[in-house]
Amino acid sequence: KEVGTGSQKSDQSLGGLLDRMISSEESLDDARELQLFNWHCANIEYSTATDIHNLSARNWALDDENAFDGDHCLLKTGYCALAEHLAQGLDIRLNSKVKLVEHGKDGAQAACKVTLEDGQTLSSDVVVLTVPLGVLKKNDITFYPQLPRWKQAAIDKLGFGVLNKVVLAFDKIFWQRATPKGKYIGYASERKGQFYLFIDITDCTSKPTLLALISGSMATELEVTPDE
């Protein structure tokens, strides 16, 4: 869908733009070349967690400048090890659902007060809120005073997508091992996004294991696919 009026279009769907480009490219008449093109599209969908037809052709790559530097890492003991290490010495309260966040009270001894579902209150100088976007969209937490209009508008407009991973364990390695710096095995499937990339995590699991990535609309389809 194109956005804008008159002869100057301000933006358009990245997927729509690419569809028109490949329809005019005779070089993509070959099925394998089209599958390779779709592989690159699936890689974009992996990095943005949505179908390319939901992306802005002008702004889809805005996250690139905010990406973290360094190599990709996999924690052998899981991310819980990182959380447990950071939590050492802190007052962690589980099963404590937040219902109200009061902030910015002039003259108050504590600038912020958090009220839990059971009525208990916590006071602090600041509150760092890291709840999922869906919680904010459902208004499960009340803010007083209300959030600024610009911030609430951002919450309403922001979206989140789907990325699925399937871990496959085997008795023996039957694939060609990748180089130490790149344990990625690309797969140009007939359907865009279907197991488009495999990551060899054998060294982390100590047994032959591949991690398959599913992106775009295929990831959404997998959400309702039975495990069998």
Side-chain angles (χ1 to χ4, degrees), residues 112-145:
C112 304
K113 185 172 72 171
V114 175
T115 302
L116 306 181
E117 190 175 42
D118 61 4
Q120 183 181 2
T121 60
L122 306 170
S123 299
S124 64
D125 295 328
V126 297
V127 171
V128 179
L129 193 70
T130 60
V131 298
L133 178 60
V135 173
L136 296 177
K137 284 181 173 292
K138 291 176 61 179
N139 296 314
D140 284 345
I141 298 176
T142 301
F143 295 92
Y144 183 83

Side-chain angles (χ1 to χ4, degrees), residues 2-3 69 73 76-77 97 107 110 117 145 187 193 200 226:
E2 294 183 337
V3 180
D69 294 328
C73 298
K76 290 186 176 182
T77 55
K97 188 174 182 180
E117 190 175 42
Y187 174 56
D200 185 350

